[in-house]
Amino acid sequence: GIGGSWGSREELLHPRDKHGRFRKTFKMAENAINAITGFLDKFQPRTFQSDGQAAQYTFNKAKPSRFGGGQGYPRLHADLDETNEHLRAGDMDESTRKFVQMMDDSSITTTDPLILSRTMDASAFGLTPETLGSEEGGLEDLTGWVIKDPGYSTNVIGTPMGHGPGKVTMTIATPKGTKAIIPARSPNDRAVFLDRDQEFAVTKVEPDGRGGFYMMAVAVPKTGRGE
């Protein structure tokens, strides 16, 4: 497994900041930490020799009838951002409901453990570039917490997308059996959407030396309690 490289049990029980100081009490209970570290110790993700091979994998795994046989692709491009805004605001209007139904109809259950990644701005965590590295209330404070995205998260399989200054790249250990939507818009498309309200246990947060961070997380079953 990938084990301690994603955060040890001790680090999760007693998180410290980049200066080695203990941080405030965290949300994840000890039994949950034991489950996460046990999972990581045994985690053997599907690996790929190249991004081309990874893209071929997603192309093969995508649901053949996704997006109504492809007719829904324009909606995916045009409506994803707006739908996510509605979902994150808790606003399930009629257009959002139709988009959610399209995504549900296009979803699969992953048949392999996978490593996915996404690169985001500070705003994805309710932070600013100035507060991202704050010693109180900054990104490192999420270590040991379960967080969730009420919207659909856009990830890639294989090499992570570009990581510029002040960005956060989240690398996600994704268990077999996770609900996902694979667009496979072309044989080179490596995108994998995780379902709305997907929860993530944050196991490690490291500064990149350029004002940004690398975050390790585990996609965990929905409990409805993530924040």
Side-chain angles (χ1 to χ4, degrees):
I2 54 181
S5 63
W6 283 51
S8 67
R9 182 175 182 277
E10 179 63 23
E11 286 174 313
L12 289 171
L13 284 170
H14 307 292
R16 297 172 183 260
D17 64 19
K18 57 180 172 287
H19 303 293
R21 296 179 297 223
F22 284 111
R23 295 198 297 274
K24 63 187 180 184
T25 302
F26 287 81
K27 185 174 182 180
M28 207 185 301
E30 185 171 355
N31 61 344
I33 290 172
N34 291 340
I36 292 293
T37 54
F39 164 78
L40 289 172
D41 285 342
K42 298 175 182 177
F43 186 65
Q44 299 284 348
R46 177 73 180 257
T47 58
F48 305 96
Q49 295 179 346
S50 66
D51 285 345
Q53 189 182 70
Q56 187 62 54
Y57 173 86
T58 58
F59 197 78
N60 292 341
K61 293 293 183 180
K63 192 171 185 177
S65 61
R66 61 194 180 278
F67 311 115
Q71 291 91 335
Y73 280 141
R75 285 194 61 206
L76 180 65
H77 288 284
D79 297 344
L80 177 64
D81 289 345
E82 182 178 351
T83 297
N84 276 345
E85 286 181 15
H86 281 270
L87 290 171
R88 288 163 185 160
D91 177 19
M92 184 66 78
D93 63 3
E94 186 58 28
S95 63
T96 302
R97 200 181 313 277
K98 288 181 179 178
F99 189 95
V100 167
Q101 186 63 57
M102 179 183 75
M103 295 294 267
D104 282 346
D105 291 344
S106 302
S107 69
I108 64 156
T109 300
T110 58
T111 56
D112 296 289
L114 301 170
I115 289 182
L116 306 177
S117 65
R118 58 190 294 207
T119 297
M120 299 162 280
D121 296 323
S123 60
F125 301 93
L127 299 170
T128 66
E130 293 72 31
T131 60
L132 193 63
S134 296
E135 294 183 6
E136 288 290 334
L139 194 73
E140 285 185 286
D141 275 358
L142 293 179
T143 306
W145 283 72
V146 175
I147 61 175
K148 76 172 180 180
D149 188 346
Y152 295 96
S153 59
T154 308
N155 309 276
V156 295
I157 194 171
T159 305
M161 303 301 285
H163 179 95
K167 301 288 187 180
V168 178
T169 293
M170 182 179 185
T171 306
I172 307 162
T174 308
K176 174 183 175 180
T178 300
K179 183 177 178 180
I181 301 95
I182 300 178
R185 289 159 286 205
S186 75
N188 298 316
D189 188 355
R190 298 186 287 120
V192 176
F193 291 86
L194 290 180
D195 195 26
R196 63 193 180 102
D197 289 327
Q198 175 64 58
E199 296 184 11
F200 304 95
V202 179
T203 61
K204 196 166 192 174
V205 179
E206 292 183 319
D208 64 5
R210 297 182 295 160
F213 287 85
Y214 293 104
M215 172 183 281
M216 307 292 192
V218 176
V220 294
K222 297 179 187 180
T223 64
R225 296 193 302 269
E227 295 180 355

